[in-house]
């Protein structure tokens, strides 16, 4: 009987890493002003991203993987405008 260590390409961490890399490629993380602004994103998506590393999509449409303190940057004007129109 074999163990997962006997066949490293048949599951485990290596498979998860490959799947995550493929997912990130499919997500088309966008370059742009996301480095200069803090964006509005649904709270549950931020938590999901923190756990899985999956990119998030802001109200303005920007897609990236969060990893910095949003308090240190100004709010994205487009996100702010969209948010204010939603809240009334």
């Amino acid at each position: 009987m074999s163990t997962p260590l006997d066949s490293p390409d048949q599951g485990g961490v290596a498979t998860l890493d490959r799947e995550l890399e493929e997912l990130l490629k499919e997500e088309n993380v966008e370059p742009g002003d996301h480095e200069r602004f803090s964006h509005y994103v649904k709270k549950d998506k931020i938590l999901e991203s923190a756990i899985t590393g999956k990119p998030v999509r802001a109200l303005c449409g920007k897609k990236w993987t969060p990893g910095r303190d949003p308090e240190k940057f100004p709010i994205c004007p487009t996100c702010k405008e969209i948010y204010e129109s939603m809240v009334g």
Side-chain angles (χ1 to χ4, degrees):
M1 180 181 264
S2 67
T3 66
L5 295 176
D6 296 333
S7 306
D9 290 338
Q10 294 182 0
V13 176
T15 301
L16 292 174
D17 286 343
R18 277 195 307 273
E19 289 175 359
L20 181 57
E21 285 176 19
E22 289 173 19
L23 245 175
L24 290 174
K25 286 178 189 172
E26 290 173 13
E27 291 294 329
N28 295 323
V29 176
E30 299 173 3
D33 69 358
H34 65 273
E35 294 298 327
R36 298 184 307 163
F37 294 112
S38 293
H39 293 275
Y40 289 152
V41 178
K42 291 182 180 180
K43 285 183 184 181
D44 62 325
K45 295 296 181 184
I46 293 172
L47 178 60
E48 179 183 341
S49 178
I51 294 169
T52 65
K54 182 179 177 182
V56 296
R57 183 177 300 276
L59 289 178
C60 68
K62 285 289 177 187
K63 215 174 209 187
W64 83 105
T65 304
R68 59 188 174 85
D69 182 2
E71 299 289 324
K72 295 181 179 180
F73 299 89
I75 296 171
C76 167
T78 306
C79 281
K80 186 174 183 177
E81 182 180 321
I82 293 169
Y83 178 77
E84 288 173 353
S85 73
M86 291 170 38
V87 210

XYZ file of all heavy atoms in Angstrom:
690
model
N 0.857 -1.180 0.000
C 0.000 0.000 0.000
C 0.902 1.242 0.000
O 1.861 1.316 0.732
C -0.889 -0.026 1.236
C -1.794 1.167 1.290
S -2.837 1.169 2.759
C -4.304 0.448 2.089
N 0.575 2.226 -0.808
C 1.399 3.433 -0.882
C 0.827 4.528 0.003
O -0.347 4.515 0.350
C 1.513 3.913 -2.330
O 0.263 4.357 -2.768
N 1.665 5.484 0.336
C 1.251 6.630 1.143
C 1.365 7.871 0.274
O 2.010 7.835 -0.785
C 2.150 6.787 2.382
O 3.464 7.117 1.938
C 2.165 5.534 3.221
N 0.772 9.006 0.695
C 0.898 10.240 -0.089
C 2.352 10.652 -0.313
O 2.679 11.250 -1.312
C 0.151 11.282 0.749
C -0.810 10.487 1.561
C -0.141 9.164 1.806
N 3.231 10.297 0.620
C 4.638 10.662 0.458
C 5.302 9.856 -0.645
O 6.276 10.292 -1.254
C 5.388 10.474 1.782
C 4.951 11.397 2.914
C 5.704 11.058 4.196
C 5.177 12.849 2.548
N 4.775 8.642 -0.912
C 5.330 7.820 -1.982
C 5.006 8.391 -3.350
O 5.737 8.201 -4.308
C 4.781 6.384 -1.908
C 5.214 5.667 -0.634
O 6.283 6.025 -0.095
O 4.476 4.759 -0.202
N 3.886 9.099 -3.472
C 3.440 9.665 -4.746
C 3.116 11.141 -4.549
O 1.949 11.521 -4.462
C 2.190 8.936 -5.242
O 2.416 7.550 -5.301
N 4.121 12.016 -4.482
C 3.868 13.422 -4.158
C 3.027 14.165 -5.187
O 2.435 15.174 -4.873
C 5.271 14.024 -4.067
C 6.139 13.098 -4.843
C 5.523 11.733 -4.730
N 2.928 13.683 -6.415
C 2.162 14.398 -7.439
C 0.684 14.017 -7.441
O -0.069 14.470 -8.279
C 2.754 14.147 -8.826
C 4.107 14.824 -8.986
O 4.369 15.787 -8.236
O 4.888 14.388 -9.840
N 0.256 13.184 -6.519
C -1.131 12.733 -6.512
C -1.918 13.344 -5.367
O -2.707 12.692 -4.715
C -1.181 11.206 -6.443
C -0.613 10.555 -7.676
C -0.725 9.049 -7.614
O -1.226 8.492 -6.645
N -0.268 8.380 -8.642
N -1.728 14.621 -5.118
C -2.496 15.290 -4.073
C -1.590 16.009 -3.107
O -0.395 16.141 -3.314
N -2.186 16.492 -2.045
C -1.425 17.167 -1.015
C -1.115 18.606 -1.349
O -1.762 19.234 -2.180
N -0.103 19.137 -0.700
C 0.245 20.547 -0.804
C 0.668 20.928 -2.214
O 0.308 21.994 -2.714
C 1.359 20.894 0.212
C 1.800 22.336 0.059
C 0.870 20.656 1.624
N 1.410 20.073 -2.895
C 1.862 20.388 -4.253
C 0.668 20.621 -5.177
O 0.663 21.565 -5.973
C 2.746 19.272 -4.798
N -0.344 19.791 -5.053
C -1.542 19.950 -5.881
C -2.263 21.247 -5.535
O -2.684 21.987 -6.420
C -2.499 18.754 -5.687
O -1.809 17.555 -6.054
C -3.745 18.905 -6.530
N -2.392 21.544 -4.242
C -3.060 22.779 -3.820
C -2.310 24.003 -4.330
O -2.918 24.966 -4.778
C -3.177 22.839 -2.296
C -4.128 21.827 -1.670
C -4.044 21.899 -0.151
C -5.548 22.057 -2.133
N -0.983 23.975 -4.274
C -0.181 25.094 -4.777
C -0.410 25.301 -6.271
O -0.573 26.424 -6.731
C 1.307 24.869 -4.509
C 1.671 25.075 -3.050
O 0.864 25.686 -2.316
O 2.765 24.622 -2.655
N -0.422 24.206 -7.030
C -0.652 24.314 -8.485
C -2.047 24.868 -8.764
O -2.230 25.720 -9.632
C -0.485 22.958 -9.153
C 0.948 22.593 -9.463
C 1.030 21.440 -10.444
N 0.262 20.277 -10.019
C 0.711 19.304 -9.226
N 1.935 19.359 -8.748
N -0.049 18.286 -8.902
N -3.039 24.371 -8.025
C -4.408 24.839 -8.229
C -4.534 26.324 -7.896
O -5.208 27.068 -8.611
C -5.386 24.020 -7.383
C -5.561 22.601 -7.880
C -6.435 21.750 -6.974
O -6.902 22.257 -5.929
O -6.635 20.580 -7.311
N -3.880 26.772 -6.831
C -3.925 28.185 -6.452
C -3.254 29.037 -7.525
O -3.774 30.085 -7.901
C -3.250 28.403 -5.098
C -3.242 29.834 -4.579
C -4.657 30.384 -4.479
C -2.549 29.909 -3.238
N -2.115 28.594 -8.041
C -1.441 29.338 -9.105
C -2.331 29.463 -10.331
O -2.422 30.527 -10.941
C -0.123 28.648 -9.478
C 0.964 28.844 -8.462
C 2.235 28.075 -8.803
O 2.402 27.693 -9.983
O 3.045 27.870 -7.890
N -3.011 28.379 -10.708
C -3.914 28.422 -11.854
C -5.068 29.379 -11.593
O -5.464 30.144 -12.473
C -4.442 27.022 -12.165
C -3.384 26.101 -12.743
C -3.870 24.661 -12.888
O -5.096 24.442 -12.890
O -3.010 23.774 -12.972
N -5.621 29.346 -10.377
C -6.715 30.248 -10.013
C -6.280 31.701 -10.122
O -7.008 32.542 -10.655
C -7.135 29.969 -8.570
C -8.524 29.424 -8.329
C -8.710 29.109 -6.867
C -9.603 30.278 -8.850
N -5.105 32.006 -9.625
C -4.610 33.379 -9.667
C -4.399 33.836 -11.103
O -4.687 34.982 -11.446
C -3.315 33.511 -8.870
C -3.471 33.377 -7.359
C -2.112 33.383 -6.681
C -4.345 34.476 -6.799
N -3.922 32.954 -11.959
C -3.751 33.306 -13.373
C -5.106 33.610 -14.009
O -5.242 34.539 -14.776
C -3.066 32.168 -14.131
C -1.597 32.042 -13.832
C -0.996 30.878 -14.585
C 0.422 30.618 -14.123
N 0.967 29.383 -14.705
N -6.117 32.800 -13.663
C -7.457 32.992 -14.206
C -8.092 34.279 -13.710
O -8.912 34.880 -14.384
C -8.356 31.815 -13.829
C -8.003 30.530 -14.525
C -8.816 29.360 -13.991
O -9.808 29.590 -13.273
O -8.449 28.218 -14.300
N -7.734 34.709 -12.515
C -8.345 35.882 -11.902
C -7.895 37.188 -12.549
O -8.494 38.219 -12.338
C -8.044 35.921 -10.402
C -8.737 34.838 -9.620
C -10.232 34.987 -9.599
O -10.737 36.126 -9.650
O -10.915 33.963 -9.542
N -6.812 37.157 -13.306
C -6.306 38.363 -13.974
C -6.170 39.544 -13.017
O -6.855 40.549 -13.152
C -7.214 38.755 -15.148
C -7.214 37.712 -16.233
O -6.184 37.108 -16.512
N -8.359 37.491 -16.843
N -5.310 39.420 -12.063
C -5.058 40.495 -11.110
C -4.564 41.705 -11.890
O -3.654 41.608 -12.695
C -4.021 40.057 -10.054
C -3.693 41.198 -9.129
C -4.543 38.853 -9.292
N -5.200 42.838 -11.668
C -4.930 44.024 -12.468
C -3.882 44.927 -11.841
O -3.935 45.214 -10.657
C -6.224 44.834 -12.631
C -7.319 44.078 -13.336
C -8.633 44.827 -13.330
O -8.684 45.973 -12.829
O -9.603 44.270 -13.813
N -2.945 45.400 -12.646
C -2.030 46.433 -12.149
C -2.771 47.770 -12.125
O -3.849 47.878 -12.690
C -0.921 46.443 -13.196
C -1.607 46.002 -14.451
C -2.687 45.032 -14.013
N -2.218 48.759 -11.504
C -2.868 50.064 -11.545
C -2.802 50.796 -10.228
O -1.893 50.601 -9.442
N -3.797 51.628 -9.998
C -3.778 52.529 -8.845
C -4.069 51.854 -7.521
O -4.082 52.508 -6.491
C -4.738 53.681 -9.071
C -6.199 53.260 -9.048
O -6.468 52.064 -8.890
O -7.062 54.128 -9.194
N -4.297 50.543 -7.510
C -4.599 49.889 -6.232
C -3.455 50.041 -5.248
O -3.649 49.913 -4.057
C -4.952 48.412 -6.427
C -3.835 47.568 -6.936
N -3.571 47.432 -8.279
C -2.906 46.837 -6.290
C -2.529 46.649 -8.432
N -2.104 46.270 -7.247
N -2.268 50.348 -5.732
C -1.138 50.574 -4.840
C -1.211 51.952 -4.179
O -0.581 52.184 -3.168
C 0.185 50.447 -5.607
C 0.457 49.051 -6.120
C 0.584 48.022 -5.009
O 1.065 48.369 -3.913
O 0.185 46.883 -5.229
N -1.968 52.875 -4.776
C -2.031 54.244 -4.252
C -3.252 54.508 -3.399
O -3.305 55.503 -2.695
C -2.033 55.242 -5.421
C -0.793 55.187 -6.259
C -0.808 56.247 -7.319
N -2.034 56.183 -8.103
C -2.473 57.154 -8.870
N -1.803 58.274 -8.964
N -3.576 57.023 -9.558
N -4.274 53.629 -3.478
C -5.533 53.876 -2.790
C -5.968 52.682 -1.948
O -5.570 51.557 -2.189
C -6.655 54.149 -3.800
C -6.494 55.408 -4.586
C -6.233 55.368 -5.945
C -6.603 56.649 -3.983
C -6.090 56.531 -6.679
C -6.461 57.818 -4.703
C -6.209 57.755 -6.058
N -6.847 52.967 -0.992
C -7.592 51.930 -0.282
C -8.924 51.796 -1.006
O -9.539 52.802 -1.365
C -7.851 52.348 1.161
O -6.653 52.400 1.880
N -9.348 50.569 -1.226
C -10.584 50.329 -1.980
C -11.647 49.719 -1.091
O -11.347 49.091 -0.077
C -10.296 49.380 -3.148
C -9.411 49.973 -4.184
N -9.870 50.766 -5.203
C -8.072 49.901 -4.355
C -8.860 51.144 -5.960
N -7.751 50.633 -5.462
N -12.912 49.895 -1.486
C -14.029 49.285 -0.779
C -14.269 47.887 -1.335
O -14.428 47.703 -2.536
C -15.304 50.113 -0.954
C -15.304 51.429 -0.210
C -16.038 52.504 -0.682
C -14.599 51.601 0.969
C -16.069 53.712 -0.005
C -14.624 52.808 1.654
C -15.361 53.856 1.161
O -15.386 55.040 1.840
N -14.288 46.907 -0.425
C -14.523 45.502 -0.773
C -15.439 44.921 0.292
O -15.368 45.322 1.461
C -13.182 44.720 -0.781
C -13.402 43.258 -1.093
C -12.206 45.329 -1.765
N -16.288 43.967 -0.080
C -17.156 43.316 0.900
C -16.295 42.649 1.968
O -15.291 42.016 1.667
C -18.021 42.254 0.224
C -19.068 42.828 -0.695
C -19.906 41.707 -1.290
C -20.963 42.280 -2.202
N -21.792 41.220 -2.801
N -16.716 42.798 3.233
C -15.941 42.266 4.359
C -15.709 40.764 4.234
O -14.621 40.274 4.540
C -16.628 42.571 5.682
C -16.500 44.003 6.102
C -17.145 44.221 7.449
C -17.081 45.695 7.807
N -17.675 45.949 9.115
N -16.736 40.017 3.811
C -16.568 38.563 3.713
C -15.536 38.186 2.652
O -14.839 37.189 2.776
C -17.901 37.863 3.471
C -18.575 38.257 2.161
O -18.459 39.426 1.754
O -19.226 37.394 1.552
N -15.400 39.011 1.624
C -14.401 38.744 0.582
C -12.988 39.007 1.098
O -12.042 38.327 0.710
C -14.671 39.581 -0.667
C -15.970 39.237 -1.352
C -15.933 37.816 -1.863
C -17.226 37.466 -2.569
N -17.260 36.075 -3.003
N -12.845 39.995 1.978
C -11.532 40.277 2.561
C -11.101 39.107 3.436
O -9.965 38.649 3.367
C -11.553 41.590 3.360
C -11.770 42.767 2.410
C -10.270 41.765 4.148
C -11.993 44.087 3.089
N -12.023 38.592 4.238
C -11.720 37.440 5.088
C -11.369 36.227 4.230
O -10.383 35.538 4.497
C -12.905 37.123 6.003
C -12.747 35.908 6.911
C -11.556 36.081 7.842
C -14.011 35.666 7.688
N -12.156 35.983 3.195
C -11.887 34.858 2.292
C -10.495 34.990 1.673
O -9.740 34.021 1.591
C -12.949 34.805 1.197
C -12.747 33.695 0.200
C -13.782 33.704 -0.920
O -14.856 34.317 -0.754
O -13.504 33.101 -1.960
N -10.141 36.191 1.249
C -8.838 36.428 0.651
C -7.717 36.189 1.651
O -6.674 35.629 1.307
C -8.749 37.854 0.106
O -7.472 38.093 -0.424
N -7.940 36.592 2.893
C -6.920 36.384 3.927
C -6.670 34.906 4.160
O -5.543 34.489 4.415
C -7.351 37.063 5.222
N -7.708 34.104 4.040
C -7.591 32.667 4.285
C -7.035 31.940 3.061
O -6.144 31.110 3.179
C -8.961 32.078 4.687
C -9.379 32.642 6.042
C -8.916 30.554 4.724
C -10.806 32.338 6.424
N -7.557 32.282 1.875
C -7.213 31.523 0.667
C -6.140 32.168 -0.199
O -5.554 31.502 -1.041
C -8.455 31.341 -0.224
O -8.881 32.630 -0.700
C -9.588 30.654 0.532
N -5.929 33.479 -0.032
C -4.990 34.177 -0.905
C -5.609 34.573 -2.236
O -4.941 35.094 -3.118
N -6.907 34.345 -2.380
C -7.619 34.665 -3.612
C -7.790 36.177 -3.735
O -8.112 36.851 -2.763
C -8.986 33.978 -3.593
C -9.802 34.196 -4.830
C -11.124 33.452 -4.739
C -11.964 33.730 -5.962
N -13.266 33.076 -5.905
N -7.590 36.734 -4.926
C -7.778 38.177 -5.119
C -9.223 38.603 -4.857
O -10.147 37.802 -4.942
C -7.425 38.391 -6.593
C -6.643 37.202 -6.986
C -7.133 36.066 -6.132
N -9.398 39.875 -4.544
C -10.720 40.463 -4.321
C -11.011 41.484 -5.411
O -10.106 41.938 -6.102
C -10.803 41.147 -2.936
C -10.653 40.138 -1.822
C -9.768 42.246 -2.800
N -12.294 41.834 -5.562
C -12.693 42.868 -6.519
C -13.337 44.009 -5.746
O -14.277 43.812 -4.995
C -13.658 42.336 -7.564
C -14.018 43.393 -8.612
C -14.927 42.884 -9.697
N -14.367 41.797 -10.457
C -13.529 41.943 -11.497
N -13.140 43.135 -11.856
N -13.100 40.897 -12.147
N -12.799 45.212 -5.941
C -13.329 46.404 -5.278
C -14.574 46.905 -6.006
O -14.870 46.476 -7.125
C -12.262 47.492 -5.270
N -15.286 47.822 -5.371
C -16.474 48.412 -6.003
C -16.145 49.033 -7.355
O -16.948 48.991 -8.278
C -17.097 49.476 -5.092
C -17.799 48.985 -3.845
C -18.307 50.179 -3.040
C -18.935 48.049 -4.188
N -14.941 49.594 -7.471
C -14.552 50.259 -8.717
C -14.146 49.262 -9.802
O -13.925 49.651 -10.947
C -13.405 51.237 -8.463
S -11.855 50.423 -8.009
N -14.044 47.986 -9.439
C -13.691 46.968 -10.414
C -12.252 46.489 -10.337
O -11.890 45.513 -10.987
N -11.420 47.155 -9.553
C -10.021 46.732 -9.409
C -9.957 45.368 -8.743
O -10.712 45.075 -7.826
C -9.230 47.732 -8.568
C -8.895 48.989 -9.284
C -7.849 48.698 -10.336
C -7.552 49.958 -11.120
N -6.699 49.718 -12.239
N -9.023 44.550 -9.208
C -8.837 43.216 -8.660
C -7.396 43.078 -8.196
O -6.475 43.382 -8.943
C -9.127 42.189 -9.746
C -9.749 40.946 -9.276
C -10.122 40.089 -10.446
C -11.314 39.248 -10.098
N -11.618 38.284 -11.116
N -7.210 42.656 -6.932
C -5.869 42.487 -6.382
C -5.958 41.633 -5.128
O -7.033 41.336 -4.634
C -5.244 43.844 -6.076
C -5.644 44.431 -4.763
C -4.892 44.500 -3.643
C -6.916 44.999 -4.414
N -5.606 45.083 -2.622
C -6.858 45.396 -3.075
C -8.108 45.195 -5.099
C -7.926 45.974 -2.419
C -9.180 45.769 -4.446
C -9.080 46.157 -3.123
N -4.797 41.245 -4.622
C -4.733 40.488 -3.386
C -4.317 41.444 -2.275
O -3.208 41.976 -2.303
C -3.708 39.336 -3.501
O -4.066 38.523 -4.611
C -3.709 38.490 -2.245
N -5.218 41.709 -1.306
C -4.891 42.634 -0.218
C -3.713 42.127 0.604
O -3.552 40.932 0.782
C -6.157 42.660 0.636
C -7.224 42.029 -0.169
C -6.553 41.162 -1.181
N -2.923 43.064 1.098
C -1.803 42.657 1.916
C -1.134 43.823 2.624
O -0.001 43.719 3.062
N -1.831 44.943 2.730
C -1.235 46.107 3.388
C -2.299 46.818 4.214
O -3.485 46.529 4.083
C -0.638 47.055 2.362
C -1.656 47.551 1.353
C -0.976 48.322 0.240
N -1.915 48.665 -0.795
C -2.711 49.722 -0.794
N -2.679 50.549 0.217
N -3.537 49.957 -1.774
N -1.876 47.743 5.042
C -2.782 48.463 5.931
C -3.533 49.534 5.146
O -2.939 50.521 4.708
C -1.982 49.100 7.064
C -2.845 49.833 8.078
O -4.091 49.812 7.932
O -2.275 50.421 8.999
N -4.850 49.383 4.955
C -5.618 50.353 4.179
C -5.703 51.728 4.840
O -5.983 52.721 4.170
C -6.997 49.715 4.053
C -7.077 48.742 5.171
C -5.676 48.285 5.445
N -5.451 51.796 6.145
C -5.514 53.072 6.860
C -4.424 54.049 6.408
O -4.522 55.241 6.647
C -5.388 52.831 8.368
C -6.493 51.964 8.957
C -7.824 52.683 8.999
O -7.835 53.906 9.238
O -8.852 52.022 8.789
N -3.393 53.538 5.773
C -2.251 54.369 5.388
C -2.408 55.020 4.008
O -1.508 55.706 3.553
C -0.971 53.529 5.395
C -0.602 53.035 6.777
C 0.677 52.246 6.742
C 1.043 51.769 8.144
N 2.287 50.994 8.139
N -3.548 54.794 3.342
C -3.740 55.292 1.988
C -5.077 56.004 1.864
O -6.028 55.680 2.575
C -3.688 54.126 0.994
C -2.364 53.406 1.011
C -2.146 52.351 1.879
C -1.342 53.804 0.170
C -0.931 51.693 1.909
C -0.119 53.155 0.192
C 0.090 52.101 1.069
N -5.182 56.955 0.941
C -6.473 57.619 0.716
C -7.468 56.654 0.060
O -7.072 55.696 -0.601
C -6.124 58.769 -0.230
C -4.870 58.339 -0.912
C -4.136 57.467 0.072
N -8.747 56.928 0.266
C -9.800 56.090 -0.307
C -9.903 56.344 -1.809
O -9.852 57.486 -2.270
C -11.153 56.375 0.373
C -11.069 55.992 1.841
C -12.284 55.619 -0.312
C -12.257 56.420 2.666
N -10.078 55.275 -2.551
C -10.260 55.363 -4.000
C -11.487 56.231 -4.290
O -12.574 55.948 -3.790
C -10.456 53.955 -4.565
S -11.045 53.903 -6.264
N -11.331 57.295 -5.080
C -12.470 58.177 -5.353
C -13.624 57.462 -6.055
O -14.793 57.745 -5.770
C -11.890 59.273 -6.242
C -10.441 59.026 -6.363
C -10.113 57.739 -5.711
N -13.319 56.526 -6.937
C -14.377 55.804 -7.654
C -15.147 54.904 -6.700
O -16.382 54.861 -6.727
C -13.785 54.979 -8.811
O -12.996 55.836 -9.640
C -14.865 54.326 -9.641
N -14.428 54.165 -5.838
C -15.092 53.317 -4.843
C -15.984 54.156 -3.932
O -17.116 53.787 -3.636
C -14.065 52.578 -3.988
S -13.330 51.129 -4.744
N -15.457 55.302 -3.488
C -16.197 56.168 -2.577
C -17.485 56.669 -3.231
O -18.555 56.647 -2.628
C -15.328 57.352 -2.158
C -15.961 58.228 -1.112
C -15.003 59.297 -0.640
C -15.621 60.128 0.455
N -14.694 61.129 0.974
N -17.392 57.072 -4.486
C -18.564 57.565 -5.219
C -19.612 56.461 -5.373
O -20.809 56.692 -5.144
C -18.120 58.069 -6.596
C -19.231 58.642 -7.435
C -18.719 59.112 -8.791
O -17.606 59.669 -8.858
O -19.440 58.906 -9.787
N -19.183 55.264 -5.727
C -20.110 54.142 -5.892
C -20.755 53.799 -4.555
O -21.972 53.602 -4.470
C -19.383 52.912 -6.483
C -18.949 53.209 -7.912
C -20.275 51.668 -6.433
C -17.989 52.183 -8.508
N -19.955 53.737 -3.488
C -20.469 53.415 -2.164
C -21.522 54.435 -1.716
O -22.589 54.074 -1.231
C -19.330 53.339 -1.144
C -19.795 53.057 0.261
C -20.168 51.763 0.624
C -19.913 54.068 1.203
C -20.618 51.495 1.906
C -20.358 53.798 2.487
C -20.704 52.518 2.827
O -21.159 52.251 4.094
N -21.214 55.723 -1.902
C -22.152 56.774 -1.488
C -23.449 56.712 -2.277
O -24.526 57.007 -1.748
C -21.491 58.138 -1.605
C -20.431 58.354 -0.516
C -19.625 59.635 -0.686
O -19.769 60.318 -1.717
O -18.833 59.928 0.230
N -23.381 56.323 -3.540
C -24.606 56.212 -4.343
C -25.442 55.009 -3.894
O -26.661 55.009 -4.043
C -24.273 56.113 -5.826
O -23.733 54.855 -6.145
N -24.784 53.991 -3.338
C -25.502 52.793 -2.860
C -26.183 53.063 -1.509
O -27.266 52.569 -1.260
C -24.531 51.621 -2.701
C -24.010 51.089 -4.006
S -22.658 49.893 -3.879
C -23.024 48.919 -2.475
N -25.536 53.849 -0.655
C -26.064 54.077 0.684
C -27.103 55.194 0.683
O -27.925 55.259 1.573
C -24.936 54.447 1.692
C -25.295 53.975 3.066
C -23.602 53.907 1.314
N -27.034 56.033 -0.280
C -28.043 57.062 -0.389
C -27.559 58.360 0.000
O -27.548 59.303 0.414
